[in-house]
Amino acid sequence: MASHPDPSSLPSPATAAGRDGLAAILARPHKAVLAFDFDGTLAPIVPDPEQARAHPDAVPALAALAPKVASVAVVTGRPASVAVRYGGFAGVPGLDHLVVLGHYGAERWDAVTGTVRAPAPHPGVAAVRAELPGFLDGIGAWQGSWIEEKGRAVAVHTRRAEDPQAAFEALREPLSRLAQKHGLIVEPGRLVLELRPAGMDKGVALGAYVRDAGAESVMYVGDDLGDLPAFAAVEKLRSDGIPGLLVCSGSTEVTELADRADLVVDGPEGVTRLLTALATHLAPPR
């Protein structure tokens, strides 16, 4: 008979720093911030980003975990309201104090109020949005790619192209020139190039949130290149004396995070198993 992994079994991080981070979370969970990317981490990657939804076990796992820790946050490049809707995070018992930091932290949704706070959008985004269709029409290698409107950013996806990776590479430099023209930057991801304002990334958002929360430990879980700044932020917090655990939601498309992670799990399903196991090991809330 085939054996199945114990859902309550907590995996051991491969690094000493990661083991220290996990130990700190287990020892004082009420002082721990647990933060997560959305797409590829809590939600499986799908061909159409508008069809992305949280893994069926993700919200129950978060709801079991959240009351036992200081804070749970979702840090995403999506608009905060979209992540809340696709994640099914609103009105969930146990997620009363969930925070969603959308658009790399430019927006903040709090479950306790159900509202989004955000500054005015960068004017370069509107300019790029207007120019992008004609711009892409002049590039021969972009057929099969398509544009996603993201409110405070615009993304070009190549997943549907005949050769997705070739289209991604062909578009990277021209889109960087277009972004620079309008005061934006290009954020590469898993077969997607996002044009957005500079000065805000997941690392800035996560570092500020952890410090504002007065956390004594942190865990961050991500899967894509846009999560590298958040990994760097946790590494900086470690150097400042705040233990941290870096978890990669593994995929065959991006390997950079796995190389930096303390622990690699098998995609969103592996993430939900980790959260469920962690919840069973944490002391009940005070």
Side-chain angles (χ1 to χ4, degrees):
M1 177 184 292
S3 63
H4 297 281
D6 180 356
S8 67
S9 176
L10 197 57
S12 177
T15 66
R19 291 190 291 273
D20 289 345
L22 179 58
I25 293 168
L26 292 172
R28 292 173 61 82
H30 61 288
K31 288 291 188 178
V33 165
L34 309 185
F36 307 86
D37 170 48
F38 184 70
D39 292 278
T41 299
L42 295 177
I45 295 292
V46 292
D48 181 356
E50 293 184 2
Q51 301 304 313
R53 297 296 184 270
H55 186 283
D57 296 332
V59 170
L62 288 171
L65 190 58
K68 299 182 176 184
V69 298
S71 180
V72 170
V74 176
V75 189
T76 175
R78 286 188 182 270
S81 61
V82 172
V84 171
R85 187 166 68 252
Y86 290 1
F89 299 135
V92 177
L95 293 183
D96 315 74
H97 297 285
L98 175 73
V99 170
V100 176
L101 303 176
H103 279 306
Y104 303 92
E107 295 182 347
R108 174 170 170 153
W109 177 87
D110 290 271
V112 70
T113 62
T115 59
V116 175
R117 289 180 287 161
H122 190 291
V125 175
V128 162
R129 185 179 295 116
E131 190 173 337
L132 195 53
F135 181 84
L136 291 177
D137 281 340
I139 301 176
W142 83 280
Q143 287 86 352
S145 302
W146 59 283
I147 300 168
E148 180 190 6
E149 302 286 351
K150 301 185 71 172
R152 295 173 182 273
V154 184
V156 178
H157 293 261
T158 66
R159 191 172 295 275
R160 298 177 188 168
E162 183 176 346
D163 187 335
Q165 189 62 41
F168 177 88
E169 296 299 338
L171 286 170
R172 192 165 183 168
E173 197 276 332
L175 289 178
S176 294
R177 290 200 310 268
L178 178 64
Q180 186 176 18
K181 172 183 171 184
H182 294 289
L184 305 178
I185 62 169
V186 169
E187 179 77 44
R190 292 169 67 174
L191 300 177
V192 60
L193 295 157
E194 183 172 302
L195 291 76
R196 63 176 179 84
M200 198 64 188
D201 60 36
K202 292 182 180 181
V204 174
L206 179 63
Y209 185 74
V210 168
R211 294 188 186 281
D212 288 347
E216 295 180 2
S217 61
V218 58
M219 178 176 80
Y220 184 80
V221 189
D223 77 304
D224 205 350
L225 297 175
D227 296 305
L228 287 172
F231 270 38
V234 172
E235 291 164 348
K236 174 64 167 62
L237 289 166
R238 285 171 171 173
S239 71
D240 293 340
I242 298 175
L245 173 62
L246 293 170
V247 181
C248 173
S249 173
S251 76
T252 58
E253 292 180 341
V254 174
T255 59
E256 287 90 334
L257 259 73
D259 295 338
R260 291 268 292 274
D262 306 306
L263 178 65
V264 179
V265 298
D266 186 16
E269 184 171 346
V271 172
T272 62
R273 286 198 300 266
L274 173 63
L275 300 187
T276 300
L278 188 55
T280 65
H281 282 75
L282 293 181
R286 293 181 174 183

